[in-house]
């Protein structure tokens, strides 16, 4: 059963420009808000490396979405191992998707984003998970922790309760890890940092030349 996410039906997204708009007004994305952190970490990384990583990530995300929508496995051969890892996750955790590729906006703070998967696992319908897919070489928790908290706050502002957060790490060896260390002890710090990033964005926008 799909979750009712029609509350965000007025949110539009330009895939080419990666721009979210609500009633014609542009909203910053979680990715955009996190740019000071990601630029600091990836600033010296080779452009072609980042471009190839982005292409890989988009291809894998699209293939997973087609799996959820049409129950088909269709992915270029060079990325097959990542899909194999995803299917192992499905077999082991038996996720029941409530919503996939969920475009949302924060009802009061007016930022937007797209969550990969909202689901339950292993038949536990009383525990709703927010899961983000990663196909990178490693997981940088100081970044993913902020990202997930931004997603959670935005989604919950729309009346959807999230109980658990996790990163589904898919690897080129065909293995996966569900990293679920994103709970109580770090929530307050993650929220504090994300709120600071939003404040910084709004301040810079207000004083833009």
């Amino acid at each position: 059963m799909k979750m009712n996410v029609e509350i965000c039906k007025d949110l539009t997204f330009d895939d080419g420009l990666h721009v979210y708009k609500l009633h014609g007004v542009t909203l910053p994305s979680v990715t955009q808000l996190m740019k000071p952190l990601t630029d600091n970490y990836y600033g010296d990384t080779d452009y072609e490396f980042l471009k190839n990583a982005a292409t890989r990530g988009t291809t894998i995300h699209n293939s997973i979405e087609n799996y959820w929508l049409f129950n088909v496995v269709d992915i270029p051969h060079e990325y097959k191992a990542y899909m194999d890892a995803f299917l192992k996750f499905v077999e082991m955790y038996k996720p029941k998707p409530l919503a996939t590729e969920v475009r949302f906006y924060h009802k009061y703070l007016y930022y937007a984003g797209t969550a990969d998967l909202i689901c339950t696992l292993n038949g536990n319908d009383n525990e709703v998970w927010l899961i983000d897919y990663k196909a990178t070489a490693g997981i940088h928790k100081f970044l993913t922790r902020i990202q997930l908290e931004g997603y959670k706050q935005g989604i919950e502002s729309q009346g959807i309760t999230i109980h658990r957060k996790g990163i589904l790490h898919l690897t080129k060896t065909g293995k996966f890890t569900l990293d679920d260390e994103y709970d109580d002890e770090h929530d307050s710090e993650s929220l504090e940092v994300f709120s600071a990033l939003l404040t910084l964005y709004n301040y810079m926008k207000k004083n833009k030349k």
Side-chain angles (χ1 to χ4, degrees):
M1 179 182 295
K2 288 288 186 179
M3 180 178 292
N4 179 15
V5 290
E6 288 302 306
I7 46 178
C8 296
K9 63 183 179 180
D10 294 325
L11 182 69
T12 63
F13 180 68
D14 185 316
D15 190 56
L17 298 175
H18 200 84
V19 171
Y20 294 90
K21 289 188 177 183
L22 180 65
H23 305 300
V25 178
T26 299
L27 301 184
S29 67
V30 171
T31 300
Q32 188 176 359
L33 293 174
M34 289 187 60
K35 202 168 185 301
L37 292 181
T38 53
D39 281 357
N40 181 67
Y41 188 83
Y42 292 110
D44 296 329
T45 306
D46 179 73
Y47 171 78
E48 286 300 319
F49 177 86
L50 292 176
K51 183 179 178 181
N52 291 336
T55 298
R56 180 178 67 245
T58 298
T59 302
I60 293 167
H61 274 71
N62 290 343
S63 295
I64 292 174
E65 179 65 1
N66 285 335
Y67 173 85
W68 289 130
L69 292 175
F70 309 113
N71 196 30
V72 297
V73 177
D74 183 19
I75 192 167
H77 179 74
E78 61 265 36
Y79 303 131
K80 181 179 179 298
Y82 295 96
M83 195 65 186
D84 289 343
F86 170 76
L87 294 175
K88 290 175 184 176
F89 159 73
V90 171
E91 181 180 4
M92 181 176 294
Y93 284 90
K94 299 175 176 56
K96 182 171 75 175
L98 304 175
T100 63
E101 294 298 313
V102 186
R103 290 175 187 161
F104 67 87
Y105 67 92
H106 196 291
K107 197 172 182 178
Y108 309 107
L109 299 179
Y110 295 104
Y111 66 84
T114 301
D116 290 339
L117 177 64
I118 299 175
C119 69
T120 60
L121 299 179
N122 289 322
N124 184 359
D125 292 340
N126 295 317
E127 190 172 70
V128 177
W129 282 75
L130 167 64
I131 293 178
D132 193 71
Y133 314 135
K134 298 294 184 189
T136 50
I139 299 298
H140 309 297
K141 289 187 179 181
F142 81 100
L143 294 176
T144 53
R145 188 172 286 132
I146 309 305
Q147 176 193 8
L148 285 174
E149 186 62 19
Y151 285 176
K152 177 179 183 285
Q153 294 295 325
I155 291 167
E156 290 199 327
S157 78
Q158 298 287 353
I160 300 170
T161 299
I162 301 296
H163 301 102
R164 301 288 301 276
K165 297 173 289 183
I167 294 292
L168 178 59
H169 185 208
L170 309 173
T171 73
K172 63 182 180 181
T173 63
K175 297 180 180 180
F176 79 89
T177 301
L178 180 60
D179 184 356
D180 62 351
E181 297 179 4
Y182 295 90
D183 294 309
D184 295 341
E185 66 176 305
H186 299 297
D187 276 357
S188 59
E189 182 183 39
S190 299
L191 179 57
E192 183 179 355
V193 173
F194 186 80
S195 298
L197 290 170
L198 181 60
T199 299
L200 176 62
Y201 171 86
N202 288 331
Y203 180 79
M204 293 177 67
K205 182 180 179 182
K206 178 180 177 181
N207 293 280
K208 186 175 182 180
K209 293 181 180 180

